[in-house]
Structure formats: structure tokens, C-alpha cells
Amino acid sequence: MFILVNLKAYPCDPVEVASAARDVAEDSGVRIAVAPQAAHLSRVAETDVETWAQHVSPVEYGSHTGSTLAEAAAEAGATGTLLNHSENRLKLADIDGSMQAAERADLETIVCANNPEQSGAVAALGPDAVAVEPPELIGGDVSVSSADPDIVRDAVDAVTAVDDSVDLFCGAGVSTGDDVTAAADLGAKGILLASGVAKADDPRAALEDLVSNL
Amino acid sequence: MFILVNLKAYPCDPVEVASAARDVAEDSGVRIAVAPQAAHLSRVAETDVETWAQHVSPVEYGSHTGSTLAEAAAEAGATGTLLNHSENRLKLADIDGSMQAAERADLETIVCANNPEQSGAVAALGPDAVAVEPPELIGGDVSVSSADPDIVRDAVDAVTAVDDSVDLFCGAGVSTGDDVTAAADLGAKGILLASGVAKADDPRAALEDLVSNL
Amino acid sequence: MFILVNLKAYPCDPVEVASAARDVAEDSGVRIAVAPQAAHLSRVAETDVETWAQHVSPVEYGSHTGSTLAEAAAEAGATGTLLNHSENRLKLADIDGSMQAAERADLETIVCANNPEQSGAVAALGPDAVAVEPPELIGGDVSVSSADPDIVRDAVDAVTAVDDSVDLFCGAGVSTGDDVTAAADLGAKGILLASGVAKADDPRAALEDLVSNL
Amino acid sequence: MFILVNLKAYPCDPVEVASAARDVAEDSGVRIAVAPQAAHLSRVAETDVETWAQHVSPVEYGSHTGSTLAEAAAEAGATGTLLNHSENRLKLADIDGSMQAAERADLETIVCANNPEQSGAVAALGPDAVAVEPPELIGGDVSVSSADPDIVRDAVDAVTAVDDSVDLFCGAGVSTGDDVTAAADLGAKGILLASGVAKADDPRAALEDLVSNL
């Protein structure tokens, strides 16, 4: 199980969350990464937590003002990147371009998708993982296991049918250790979560709960 | 073989091209359709040529100013729609949404893609056909058969691997009857073309040449 | 006072609304126009109502698949176009480009804006009118006069300070004849409205009410 | 005169350019700033050069994955931000939103624009400066003074007519000290430049030449 904590644009202290994630990962043996704002990548990477970008642009070195260059994210310490998050939907051609940029910079990729059909589609582009984000679960308090478990199973099937080397992650609806177990039982190899850790009063305790059943 | 003539925003007379396409389709027995500007759909449909939209928006009936509603395109006479053309790249989620809109309005769909990987990706969404548009052939005078025949074969393979009920069209590099034969030999079930007919001095003669080997 | 009825992507009969608008305009002497889907422009224009596009693309004749060419909208009968509606926000450079396209095709322009600052900004581009759309009034049942009259006054001031030949329209919060009077009292030279007419059981009666105080 | 060096996504060493800019600024007394990739902001700021972001997103703290939060840029050391660069054109509403975000984070703003009309438009939003980027000069080797000096004068006039507290910068066509003098003579209070410094064999020498007449 891989747990990726997306800090979005939250007013949290990225170094505090990163340090907690590093410690819980070490103590539990569970793989945990943190995805901060691009401007915070180097400070987060300095904690030695596994550091991911929230996005990289579909560009190479060149005249691209305001882009997030994959190579710059890597230099700042990122080893992977999210792409096509529901808050940052990309053109299909740009998902492909950003994945090529990530590959050049040796970044792993998790590409988000709305539903099983789109999960199968992005699997065809060969990411490391696809994260399915059922729209009805995004940002809510509903657990994926109680709300719509079939969407995870269907997404696993859709991804596997296209490329069985691509993992399916659960991209929404997980906030507790029981949710993590439920997601794993549905076939998810990883989870994305955000506010459950980043906005928690005690991020370390939230992370410890998440890994408690693993 | 299905020939779709995309009129783009060319300064041609859409009714003249549509009438020629109707006549050549009737005379040759080859399926030929014309995709005009949305504002010209009804005039083109009145010629009785098969009429396609160049795009429909990923929306349902509602508050969507400036959209191209699939149902409105269908009412004006369209029976199919292009999506994600290289001049109108869409977000992956919107390709999915526009395909759902097309389905509600009983429109067939041809979804464009840059390369074999993206062709496989859109095939996972279940369109009627995928049109591969190698960037190096778009808008040029190079024939697909001479320039890069492998991209068509690879796209056929990528699409078939995902869903063998989805046809692969050749979306660029076709302007003569010999190109059509070459595309068919590579496995294409249809072609998209634009300036070769729409900007021809004699659109009828251009269409007759295209179908001459079929 | 100029009343522009935006049909958006509503499931109304565009010809029924257009015919009602034409009749009420003739009977009352008030200028009333209707903006349908691009695919419905020609049918609406055939009623002899003043016909507007909901959007035109910032392009000239050429390779622009899926665009809304200003010249095509004009050929279908449009004599003006909305731009930058809150449901179709444009890049600043594209507002400028679309206005140039509209000018080439002899279309009048009404450019929408969120607030007085943006109203002043678009006035600098020289449209025929700017329609201010306070976000809190869009799509709601609140009247502009009761909710936030100052935004209309401030927008009039902002537009006039930049170019006093540009009219300010009230782009939201108007659904009755009293609202029209209130908007006029605040300095608006026209109004945009949509659901109040397009989704009315009796569009003609809704229009008659709108012009009743004029 | 204010010189802003935009590092875009160039494969330069941002710290080397930043150190040179800091030294030349100190030696010459000319204000010089450097705008790196967001992921490089903190390393650049550590050199004590004046540090700018290339872009900030029109968002507040919240759920905005992949955004460039103004507050995060400021925490990393930025004291200003470019907006609406020709390689990163924004919706008008987002220019306004990004300027509000910049204001909350105490960032100065330079907003780019294509031509005098758009320069006047963005001036209405109240930035610290507008940088006019004539499309024919972007990325080229032509000097603004030789190519089209009137566009700078016209942009100064357009901006001043709307808000005479807003400075006009020359956003393209400057690569030598003589160009800087020419831009100043045309009324520009600052310049943007990129490859002339970032891709120079000797960035320090390039900067020294730029300030040599000031």
C-alpha cells in the first residue's frame, strides 16, 4: 500500500506534515509520500520524506513561462508527480506530454481519472498508477467502501484489461485506517488523501491511524 | 471506407461542397460525410449529405452559454461529431463528457488522437472510431503512406488491443485516391480530410479522385 | 433600453421564443434580440427577430476545427455577439481577438465582466457594450436593485471613465419589468436575461412584462 | 529602470544567474530581479537577489491541486509576480483573481499584454506595471526601437489614459544596453528579458551591458 498525501494549497505547515509522514513511514514500513506546492518542494524534500509534485507541465526545457518543468521539480527533490487531478484536469494530449516530461526527469506518475472508463483510458498511456476519483466522493466525508465500492472494483478491472502492470489507486473517500483496508480489499494498491491529514489537528496521529491496519 | 470532409473555418461554400459530396457518395456507393461550422449545419443537412458536427460540448441542457449542445447539432441535422481534433484538443474528462452528450443525442463519434498511445487511450472510452493525426502530417502535403506508415499500423494495433470494435481512421496525410488506398492497406477504415476538398478549385473532382480506387 | 435574451443551452423552442421576441419588440418599440445556439442561428434569424450569437471564436478564416467563425455566424443571420459570458470566460487576448473577428463580420459586441474593475478593463477594448454580471446574482432569483445596486453604478462609472461611448448593461438579476426600470435608473442601457424568458411557461408574457414600464 | 530577468523553463543554473543579477544590481544601483521556476524560488531568493514568480494562480488557500499559491511563492521568497505572459495567457477574470491573490500575499504585479488596447485593459485592473509584448518581437532578435517603436509609445499612452500611476514596461525586443536606452526614451519604466541573459554564455556580462547606459 502506498499513501500519497496531497497538500494542495492548504494553509498547513508543509514541513510539519512531511516530518510526520517521514516518521510514520519509517515506523510502520508503509510507503508514504507528500505532495506540496512546487514552491515548497525543496523544503519538504529536505525532511527526507518521499516527495512528489502535484503536477508537471507537458513541456521540455525552453520558453514556457509559468510552467512547472519536470526537471525543476526533480532538482528540488521530487521523485514522482500527480497528473490530471480533479482540480487540475488536463487535455488528453497534455497528460501524454506530461508523462513524457516526467519520464525524462525520472519521476513516477500517478494519473487521476473520474470513473472506470477514464481510468482505462489513462492506463493505455502507461503511468505507474491510475487514481480513480469518484466525483461524488471528492472532498466529502463519505467513505469509498460505504458509498460506491463498485467504482473501485470496476476501475481495477478497466485498468487491468488495458495494462495489468498499472496499479489502481483509490483517489477519494479514504480518511481512516478502516477505509485503507476497505480500499485494499477492493483491489487498490495505493490511496490519495489530502484534507484528512493536511488539515488534521494532529497530522501524525491521522497518519498513524491510516497505517494502523497494514 | 468512410470519408469525412472537415470544412473547418474555411472560406468555402459549404453547400457547394455538401452537394458534391452527396453526389459522389451516391454515384460511388462510398460513405462520405461533411462537417461544417455549427452555424452551417442546417443548410448542409438540407442537401441530404451525411452531416457531422466538428465538435460538441460536454454538457447537457442547461446554463451553458457559448456551448455547442449535442442535441442542437442533432436538431440541425447532424448525425455524428468529431471530437478532440488537433485544433480543438479537449480535456480527457471532457472527451468522455462529450461522448456521453453525443450518445444522448444519437450522434456517432470519431475521436482524434496524436499518436498510437493516445489512440489506445480514447479507444477505452468506446467511440465509433479513433482518427490518428500524426503531428508531422497535419496540414502538410506529405502522404501518410510515404511519411510514416507505421504510425497508422501501430494505432490500429493500439486501438484493437483495447477494443476491437473501434475503427481506426487516418486523420491526416490523405489527399488523393492513392493515399486512400494506402490508408486502407494500413488498416484504416476511414479517413478525415479537409483542405484537399474544401479548398480545391473543384471539390467534386477532388472527391471523385478520392473514391476512384474504391 | 436593449433587451438581449440568451437561450444558452436550454431545452426551449428557439423559434417560439424568437417569434415572441419579434412581436413584443414590434408592439412595444423596445429593441429585443435573441441569442440561440450557433446551430439554431439561421432558424431564429428567419423569424426576423434581431439575432445574436452567444460567442464567436478569436479566429479568421482558416484551419480552426470546432470554432465558431464570426463570418459563419453572420451568414446565418447574426448581427451581434456576446463575449466572455460567465459561463464561457475567455483569455484577455481572446476577448480582443474575438472582438476583431466580430468587427470583420460586422457584428456588434457585448462583453461580459464580473465586477466594475473588469468592466473597465473590457471597456478599454472598445466593445459596443459591457454587461456586468455580479457573481452573486447569476442564475439566482435576487433582483439587482435589491441585492447590490452599487455594483451597477460602479460599473457604469468604471466604464465611463475609460470610454464614455461604451454602454453598460446589467447582465444578471433582472427578471421583471420593475427590475428593468431599476436597472435603467442605475444607468444601465440594456439588460441580459435568460431563464426568465427562455424557461418561462409563456415567453411572450414574460417579455411583455419586461417592457411594460418602458 | 527596472530589469526583470525571466528564466522561463530554460536549462540555465538559476543560482548562477541570480548571483550575477544581485552583483550587477549592487554595483550599478539598477533594480534587477530574477523570475525562476516556482520550484527554484527558494534557492534563488537565498542569493538575496530580488525574486519574482513567473505566475501565481487565481486562488486562495484551499483545494487547488497543481496551483501556484501566491502565499507559497511569497513564503519561498518571491516579492512580485509576472502575470498573463504571452506563454501563459490567462482569462480576464483570472488576471483579476491572480492580482487579488498577489495583493493578499504582498506581491508586486507586472501584467503582460499583446498590444496597446490590451495594455489599457489590464491597466484598469490596477497592477504595478503593464508589460507590452508585441507578438512580432517575442523571442526574436529584433530590437523594439528598430522594429516598432510606436507600439511602446501607444501602450504608454493607453495605460496612462486609464491609470497614470501604472508603469509601462517593454516586454520584448530588448537585449542590449542600447535597447534599454531606446525603451526608456519611448517611455518604458522597465523591461522584461529572458534568453538574452538566461541563455548567455556569460550572464553577468550580458547584465553589465544592459545597465551600461543607465
Side-chain angles (χ1 to χ4, degrees):
Chain A
M1 183 61 58
F2 177 18
I3 297 176
L4 178 63
V5 180
N6 176 4
L7 302 187
K8 299 188 174 186
Y10 290 137
C12 61
D13 177 345
V15 171
E16 179 195 355
V17 179
S19 303
R22 175 203 58 205
D23 292 347
V24 176
E26 281 177 11
D27 292 349
S28 65
V30 176
R31 185 178 173 193
I32 305 178
V34 171
Q37 286 276 312
H40 290 153
L41 280 170
S42 53
R43 287 175 61 213
V44 164
E46 282 164 11
T47 67
D48 286 329
V49 77
E50 182 175 333
T51 304
W52 279 53
Q54 294 179 13
H55 169 70
V56 297
S57 300
V59 300
E60 304 186 32
Y61 284 120
S63 295
H64 307 292
T65 300
S67 60
T68 302
L69 180 70
E71 286 84 351
E75 282 169 27
T79 57
T81 186
L82 278 175
L83 289 172
N84 196 44
H85 189 276
S86 59
E87 295 157 5
N88 193 20
R89 290 293 189 216
L90 303 181
K91 296 181 183 184
L92 171 63
D94 288 342
I95 299 175
D96 190 23
S98 290
M99 286 179 55
Q100 293 175 29
E103 187 173 7
R104 280 194 305 271
D106 273 328
L107 300 176
E108 287 188 59
T109 50
I110 301 174
V111 184
C112 300
N114 269 337
N115 55 29
E117 291 73 27
Q118 291 175 38
S119 296
V122 295
L125 301 173
D128 292 292
V130 176
V132 66
E133 299 174 295
E136 61 273 28
L137 295 184
I138 293 175
D141 296 324
V142 185
S143 157
V144 65
S145 58
S146 58
D148 188 0
D150 282 346
I151 203 172
V152 178
R153 281 193 205 101
D154 291 348
V156 171
D157 292 345
V159 165
T160 305
V162 170
D163 182 343
D164 61 13
S165 72
V166 176
D167 288 336
L168 191 282
F169 280 28
C170 189
V174 174
S175 57
T176 68
D178 288 347
D179 295 337
V180 172
T181 311
D185 289 346
L186 293 166
K189 303 295 189 192
I191 60 161
L192 304 189
L193 81 171
S195 58
V197 171
K199 298 172 88 170
D201 290 334
D202 184 343
R204 185 177 307 252
L207 285 161
E208 286 169 344
D209 178 48
L210 282 163
V211 303
S212 57
N213 295 338
L214 299 177
Chain B
M1 182 61 59
F2 177 18
I3 297 176
L4 178 63
V5 181
N6 176 2
L7 302 188
K8 299 188 173 185
Y10 290 138
C12 60
D13 177 344
V15 171
E16 181 195 354
V17 179
S19 302
R22 175 204 58 204
D23 292 348
V24 176
E26 281 177 10
D27 292 348
S28 65
V30 176
R31 185 178 173 194
I32 305 177
V34 172
Q37 287 275 313
H40 290 154
L41 280 170
S42 53
R43 287 175 60 212
V44 164
E46 283 164 10
T47 68
D48 285 330
V49 76
E50 182 175 333
T51 304
W52 279 53
Q54 294 179 12
H55 170 70
V56 298
S57 300
V59 300
E60 304 185 34
Y61 284 119
S63 295
H64 308 292
T65 300
S67 60
T68 302
L69 179 69
E71 286 82 352
E75 282 169 25
T79 57
T81 186
L82 277 175
L83 289 172
N84 196 43
H85 189 276
S86 59
E87 295 156 4
N88 193 21
R89 290 294 188 215
L90 303 180
K91 296 180 183 184
L92 172 63
D94 288 341
I95 299 175
D96 190 22
S98 291
M99 286 179 56
Q100 293 174 29
E103 188 173 6
R104 281 194 304 269
D106 274 327
L107 300 177
E108 287 188 58
T109 51
I110 300 175
V111 184
C112 299
N114 270 337
N115 56 28
E117 291 73 26
Q118 292 176 38
S119 297
V122 296
L125 301 174
D128 292 291
V130 175
V132 64
E133 300 175 295
E136 61 274 27
L137 295 185
I138 293 176
D141 296 325
V142 185
S143 158
V144 66
S145 58
S146 58
D148 189 359
D150 282 346
I151 202 172
V152 178
R153 280 193 206 101
D154 292 348
V156 170
D157 291 347
V159 165
T160 306
V162 170
D163 182 345
D164 61 13
S165 73
V166 176
D167 288 336
L168 190 283
F169 280 28
C170 189
V174 174
S175 55
T176 68
D178 288 348
D179 295 338
V180 172
T181 311
D185 289 346
L186 294 166
K189 303 295 190 193
I191 60 162
L192 304 189
L193 81 171
S195 58
V197 170
K199 299 173 86 169
D201 290 333
D202 185 344
R204 186 177 307 252
L207 286 161
E208 286 169 344
D209 178 48
L210 282 163
V211 302
S212 57
N213 294 338
L214 298 177
Chain C
M1 180 63 58
F2 177 17
I3 297 176
L4 178 63
V5 180
N6 176 3
L7 302 187
K8 299 190 174 184
Y10 290 138
C12 61
D13 178 346
V15 171
E16 181 196 354
V17 178
S19 302
R22 175 204 57 205
D23 293 348
V24 175
E26 281 177 11
D27 292 349
S28 65
V30 176
R31 185 178 173 194
I32 306 178
V34 172
Q37 286 275 312
H40 290 153
L41 280 170
S42 53
R43 287 175 61 211
V44 163
E46 283 164 11
T47 68
D48 285 330
V49 76
E50 181 174 335
T51 304
W52 279 53
Q54 293 179 12
H55 170 70
V56 298
S57 300
V59 300
E60 304 187 33
Y61 283 120
S63 295
H64 307 292
T65 300
S67 60
T68 301
L69 180 69
E71 286 83 351
E75 282 169 26
T79 57
T81 187
L82 277 175
L83 289 172
N84 196 44
H85 189 276
S86 59
E87 295 157 5
N88 193 23
R89 289 294 188 215
L90 302 181
K91 295 180 184 185
L92 172 63
D94 288 342
I95 298 175
D96 190 22
S98 290
M99 286 180 55
Q100 293 174 28
E103 188 173 7
R104 282 194 303 271
D106 274 328
L107 300 176
E108 286 188 59
T109 50
I110 301 174
V111 184
C112 300
N114 270 338
N115 55 30
E117 291 73 25
Q118 292 176 38
S119 297
V122 296
L125 301 174
D128 293 291
V130 175
V132 66
E133 301 174 293
E136 62 273 27
L137 295 184
I138 293 176
D141 296 324
V142 184
S143 157
V144 65
S145 57
S146 58
D148 189 0
D150 282 345
I151 202 172
V152 177
R153 280 192 207 103
D154 291 347
V156 170
D157 291 346
V159 164
T160 306
V162 170
D163 182 346
D164 62 12
S165 72
V166 176
D167 287 336
L168 191 283
F169 281 28
C170 189
V174 175
S175 56
T176 69
D178 288 347
D179 294 336
V180 172
T181 311
D185 289 345
L186 293 166
K189 303 295 189 193
I191 60 162
L192 305 188
L193 82 170
S195 58
V197 170
K199 299 173 87 170
D201 290 333
D202 184 344
R204 185 177 308 253
L207 286 161
E208 285 169 345
D209 178 48
L210 282 163
V211 302
S212 57
N213 295 338
L214 298 177
Chain D
M1 181 62 58
F2 177 18
I3 297 176
L4 177 63
V5 180
N6 176 3
L7 302 188
K8 299 189 174 186
Y10 290 138
C12 61
D13 177 345
V15 171
E16 181 196 355
V17 178
S19 302
R22 174 204 58 206
D23 292 348
V24 176
E26 281 177 11
D27 292 349
S28 64
V30 176
R31 185 178 173 193
I32 305 178
V34 172
Q37 286 276 311
H40 290 154
L41 279 170
S42 53
R43 287 175 61 211
V44 163
E46 283 164 11
T47 68
D48 284 330
V49 77
E50 181 174 335
T51 304
W52 279 53
Q54 294 179 13
H55 170 70
V56 298
S57 300
V59 300
E60 304 186 33
Y61 284 119
S63 295
H64 307 292
T65 300
S67 61
T68 301
L69 179 70
E71 285 84 352
E75 281 168 27
T79 57
T81 186
L82 277 175
L83 289 172
N84 196 43
H85 189 276
S86 59
E87 296 157 5
N88 194 21
R89 289 294 188 215
L90 303 181
K91 296 180 184 184
L92 172 63
D94 288 342
I95 299 174
D96 190 22
S98 290
M99 286 178 56
Q100 293 174 28
E103 188 172 8
R104 280 194 304 270
D106 273 327
L107 300 177
E108 286 188 58
T109 50
I110 301 174
V111 183
C112 300
N114 271 338
N115 56 30
E117 290 74 25
Q118 292 176 38
S119 297
V122 296
L125 301 173
D128 293 291
V130 176
V132 65
E133 301 174 295
E136 62 274 28
L137 295 184
I138 293 176
D141 297 324
V142 184
S143 157
V144 65
S145 57
S146 59
D148 189 0
D150 282 345
I151 202 172
V152 177
R153 280 192 206 102
D154 291 347
V156 171
D157 291 346
V159 165
T160 306
V162 170
D163 182 345
D164 62 12
S165 73
V166 176
D167 287 336
L168 191 283
F169 281 28
C170 189
V174 174
S175 56
T176 69
D178 287 348
D179 295 337
V180 172
T181 312
D185 289 345
L186 294 166
K189 302 295 188 193
I191 60 162
L192 304 189
L193 82 169
S195 59
V197 170
K199 298 174 87 169
D201 290 334
D202 185 344
R204 184 177 308 252
L207 286 161
E208 286 169 345
D209 178 48
L210 282 163
V211 302
S212 56
N213 295 338
L214 299 176

